[in-house]
Amino acid sequence: MRGLQFSLRNWRSLGRSVILFCLSYALVLSCTIRQDSQSPNRPGTVPSTATNRIVIGTTAGVRTLDPANAYELWAGNLLYNLGDRLYTYNPEGQLVPQLATALPKVSADGLTYIIPLRQGVVFHDGTPFNAAAMAFSLERFIKNAGSPSFLLSEAIDLVKATGELELTIKLKKPFAAFPSLLAFSGACAVSPQAYEIGNGKFKTDQFVGTGPYKLTQYATDAIRLEAFDRYWGEKPANTGIDIQKYSSSANLYNAFRTGSVDVAFQSLDPDQTQSLQKEMGQSGWQVIEGKGTGIYYLTVNVKSKPLDQVLVRQAVAALIDRPLLKDRVFRGQVEPLYSLIPDTLDVYKPVFKDQYGDGDVAKAQAALSQAGYSKDKPLVVELWYRSNLTTNELAATTLKASVQKNLGEVMKLELKSVESATAYDNLDKGAYPIFMLDWTADFFDPDNYIQPFMACSKGSAAGGCEEGSSKLQGSFYYNDRVNQLIDAQRQETNPEARKNIFLELQDILAKDVPFIPLWQNKEYLFAQKGITGARLESTQKVPFWTMGKG
C-alpha cells in the first residue's frame, strides 16, 4: 500500500525520519530530469525489443543510495540488487549465506559470532573482498550515524577481521535474531577504496559494492544499472536495468498499459490494480501477487480514559470487521491480520480471530455492559488517522459506519485526522486515544513485530511505560511478563522453544489489547507479456537479475 512509503519504518528514529522524508520530497520537486542520451533504451521511452535491458517504472523516490543512510523501502530494494550481505533469503524465505559461506558459529554465551567468508569476490571498482572489507562496511554503517545505524549500533559491541576470510562480531547482549538482522539491505559490503568512516560522511549518488549490478547513472527520476561482468554469483538474465520514476500512480498505470515500461512496481492504486487484473487474460501481461511484510494496526493509549479499562479495549477489538475493510476499502488487495506478527512467519497465531472474531456485536456489547456503558451512558472514543493517506481515511470512515450501524446507541467513534509528521511528533506525548498506523519490519524475524511495539525499558503496571517502544508507539503499555518474554526469546537458540515464547506473547497481546491488528498488505508486480523471471520474494523484494526478455 502506498501509505507504507510515507510511514516511519521504526519509531526509535521518529523525528529524524520525518526530516529525511521532507528532504526526500523536496528533492523530488526540485531536481530536473537527467537522462543518458547514449542509452539505447532510455527510461520513459518505449522499450526496445532489440536489447535485453529491462525498464522498470515506479512512483517511489530515492533519497540516497548510501547503505549507511538509506532507510526507505525502494532504496532497500535497489541496494538488494546492487549489493551483497553476509546473509540473504532464498525464494522460500529461509535465511541462507551470501557473502558468508555458512551460518555463524555462536559462542556458548550467545555473544560472539564467527563467520566464514566467501573467496574470490571483488567490488565493482576491482578491490578484493575480504574480512577487513566486511568489517569496514559494518563499522561504517554504525559510525557514520545514518538513519538505520541504530539497528547495528544497539546490537554490536565489536566487529573485526580475525583472518583473511573470517569475521568475528561480538554483541552487547545475546540476540537470537542477529543473523537475520545481518540480511538488512543496508548491511551490505562496500569498497573501502570508495567510502570513508565518519559521522555524516555519506555518498548519496554512488554505490560501489559486490552485487550483480553496477550503478552507472543516478538522478532523482532516472537510475541506470549495468550487469557486473565480474560478479561471483548467478549472472543476470538481462544486460541492465533502467528505472524511471513517475510522478503519480496514474502516470505509471498509463506507462505500463502502453508498453513504455516492461515492469511496474510500487505502487498503483487499488482500482488500477483491479483493472490490470481483469485485463490480464486478454492483454497477456503478468500480475504477480505476494503477501507483504507490512502491517496496519491501531495503537491504543492504555493510559487514556476510557481506554484504560481493558474491557473497553476488548469491546473495540470485537467490533473490528477486517473482511469488510478488505473488500470495501481495498478491493480484496490486503489480507485480514489477527496478530502483530504477519502470517508469513511460522510463529503467527490468529489470536484476535480466536478471541474476538470480526464485527462480533454481541461480544462487544457484553464487554461494554460489563464496563458500565449502555444506551443511557454510551461509550465515545476518538479514532485518529493520517490525513495525507487516502486509504487511512477510507478505512477509518468504514469502521465508523460499521460501529454506527451495529452498536450506534451504545458506542460512537469520533474521527479525527492529522498530517503524518505531526502525528509522529506527538505519539509519545499521549495525544491520541487510538491511532491508525502501519509498520514494515527492518528484518524478517518475529522479534521485529513484537519488540518495537510491546517492550518497555522503564515503567510500571500502575503508571504505564515511561521509556521504551510502547511509549514511542503511543500505547504506553507496560507488562513485566512481556518484557521478560521478549528478553527470553532474544536469548533462546532452540527454534521450537522460541516459537512457544512468541505464542505466549501473542496470547497476552490479545488479552491486554494495547494494539489491534487490522490488515497485512499485499504487494503487486506487473510485467509485460515478454518478460521472463519476474517474481516477488517473501521479503517484499524484487530480484532484478532473474528478469529477461523471452
Side-chain angles (χ1 to χ4, degrees):
M1 294 290 96
R2 294 178 66 192
L4 289 174
Q5 297 173 22
F6 297 95
S7 68
L8 262 58
R9 301 284 309 286
N10 194 297
W11 303 110
R12 287 172 290 188
S13 54
L14 288 173
R16 181 171 52 193
S17 295
V18 171
I19 293 170
L20 292 175
F21 167 76
C22 295
L23 289 174
S24 176
Y25 188 69
L27 283 171
V28 171
L29 291 177
S30 64
C31 292
T32 57
I33 297 174
R34 301 204 324 254
Q35 294 184 349
D36 183 357
S37 61
Q38 301 304 312
S39 169
N41 196 27
R42 296 193 308 274
T45 64
V46 178
S48 169
T49 56
T51 69
N52 196 26
R53 296 187 65 81
I54 303 294
V55 180
I56 299 176
T58 183
T59 60
V62 179
R63 176 181 56 85
T64 178
L65 279 177
D66 192 313
N69 198 31
Y71 200 32
E72 293 78 28
L73 295 178
W74 183 235
N77 207 101
L78 291 174
L79 291 174
Y80 177 72
N81 286 278
L82 283 164
D84 296 319
R85 289 137 297 280
L86 289 167
Y87 299 99
T88 189
Y89 294 94
N90 64 18
E92 291 73 42
Q94 299 167 321
L95 191 71
V96 294
Q98 192 173 44
L99 289 176
T101 58
L103 292 175
K105 180 181 178 181
V106 186
S107 63
D109 61 6
L111 293 176
T112 302
Y113 285 65
I114 298 176
I115 303 172
L117 302 182
R118 190 174 297 277
Q119 190 172 23
V121 177
V122 296
F123 289 98
H124 297 154
D125 62 0
T127 303
F129 168 79
N130 54 26
M134 193 69 237
F136 167 86
S137 302
L138 296 180
E139 285 180 0
R140 181 178 183 273
F141 185 94
I142 294 169
K143 294 179 179 178
N144 285 34
S147 300
S149 62
F150 71 92
L151 290 171
L152 296 186
S153 66
E154 292 183 359
I156 293 177
D157 180 45
L158 176 70
V159 54
K160 64 178 179 179
T162 48
E164 179 68 16
L165 294 172
E166 181 184 89
L167 186 73
T168 298
I169 301 175
K170 186 176 180 181
L171 303 187
K172 295 178 179 178
K173 54 185 177 180
F175 186 24
F178 183 64
S180 297
L181 180 54
L182 292 175
F184 176 68
S185 294
C188 55
V190 294
S191 171
Q193 302 302 317
Y195 295 89
E196 60 182 323
I197 294 177
N199 193 320
K201 292 183 177 180
F202 303 118
K203 296 194 174 182
T204 297
D205 58 355
Q206 74 172 53
F207 181 85
V208 183
T210 63
Y213 293 96
K214 296 190 300 182
L215 177 69
T216 58
Q217 179 192 348
Y218 175 90
T220 304
D221 59 352
I223 294 174
R224 184 178 175 88
L225 313 180
E226 303 287 347
F228 181 36
D229 57 5
R230 298 182 65 186
Y231 185 56
W232 61 269
E234 178 185 349
K235 306 299 182 185
N238 54 72
T239 57
I241 303 290
D242 293 309
I243 298 167
Q244 175 67 53
K245 181 187 180 300
Y246 289 87
S247 60
S248 70
S249 62
N251 289 341
L252 175 59
Y253 173 72
N254 290 331
F256 182 78
R257 284 179 55 86
T258 59
S260 295
V261 298
D262 297 310
V263 174
F265 181 60
Q266 291 187 348
S267 298
L268 297 182
D269 289 336
D271 287 343
Q272 294 162 347
T273 297
Q274 188 177 59
S275 174
L276 293 181
Q277 288 174 318
K278 288 180 178 179
E279 298 177 38
M280 181 171 53
Q282 63 186 39
S283 65
W285 54 54
Q286 307 165 62
V287 181
I288 300 159
E289 175 184 324
K291 289 183 179 179
T293 60
I295 65 169
Y296 279 76
Y297 59 97
L298 299 177
T299 184
V300 184
N301 185 343
V302 299
K303 293 178 65 177
S304 173
K305 293 184 179 301
L307 296 163
D308 57 340
Q309 301 178 67
V310 69
L311 284 169
V312 172
R313 302 197 298 271
Q314 291 173 344
V316 175
L319 284 170
I320 301 299
D321 191 338
R322 295 166 185 83
L324 178 68
L325 293 173
K326 173 184 176 180
D327 296 335
R328 189 162 297 179
V329 178
F330 296 103
R331 312 289 195 272
Q333 295 166 33
V334 299
E335 287 295 331
L337 182 66
Y338 299 95
S339 174
L340 288 175
I341 299 173
D343 65 5
T344 46
L345 292 167
D346 63 359
V347 304
Y348 168 75
K349 184 178 181 181
V351 286
F352 276 76
K353 185 174 185 178
D354 298 340
Q355 186 77 17
Y356 305 107
D358 284 287
D360 192 327
V361 177
K363 186 168 288 186
Q365 199 158 18
L368 289 175
S369 177
Q370 192 176 346
Y373 293 95
S374 63
K375 293 180 180 178
D376 297 327
K377 183 188 175 184
L379 171 69
V380 180
V381 177
E382 290 182 0
L383 169 59
W384 288 75
Y385 62 90
R386 291 163 292 180
S387 58
N388 53 307
L389 300 182
T390 303
T391 53
N392 279 210
E393 181 179 6
L394 292 172
T397 303
T398 301
L399 287 175
K400 178 181 178 179
S402 177
V403 170
Q404 179 64 32
K405 175 183 176 182
N406 295 310
L407 209 59
E409 293 183 332
V410 181
M411 178 178 173
K412 300 183 186 301
L413 275 184
E414 293 185 348
L415 301 189
K416 307 261 185 191
S417 64
V418 63
E419 194 272 336
S420 293
T422 303
Y424 302 146
D425 281 341
N426 290 297
L427 271 173
D428 63 351
K429 297 178 177 63
Y432 313 113
I434 303 179
F435 209 110
M436 184 181 297
L437 296 167
D438 65 293
W439 175 265
T440 299
D442 296 309
F443 54 99
F444 202 51
D445 186 90
D447 175 89
N448 207 224
Y449 291 95
I450 292 292
Q451 192 277 338
F453 292 84
M454 299 178 71
C456 179
S457 55
K458 180 181 178 182
S460 65
C465 185
E466 298 173 20
E467 293 179 13
S469 298
S470 73
K471 179 186 178 183
L472 295 176
Q473 288 275 5
S475 173
F476 300 91
Y477 175 68
Y478 180 91
N479 184 310
D480 192 52
R481 175 61 178 166
V482 165
N483 290 329
Q484 293 173 8
L485 289 172
I486 290 174
D487 287 342
Q489 63 83 15
R490 287 190 154 201
Q491 299 180 54
E492 182 57 66
T493 56
N494 182 291
E496 194 60 34
R498 191 165 183 254
K499 179 178 181 178
N500 289 333
I501 295 173
F502 280 114
L503 295 179
E504 183 178 348
L505 281 164
Q506 291 172 91
D507 287 337
I508 296 173
L509 169 70
K511 177 185 175 183
D512 291 352
V513 199
F515 303 92
I516 301 174
L518 297 175
W519 67 86
Q520 177 179 343
N521 76 310
K522 287 183 180 179
E523 197 63 81
Y524 291 87
L525 178 69
F526 308 91
Q528 301 290 353
K529 182 178 181 180
I531 300 300
T532 60
R535 73 171 191 238
L536 272 169
E537 299 194 338
S538 58
T539 54
Q540 222 170 2
K541 299 291 194 300
V542 176
F544 296 166
W545 63 86
T546 62
M547 294 189 287
K549 291 188 175 180

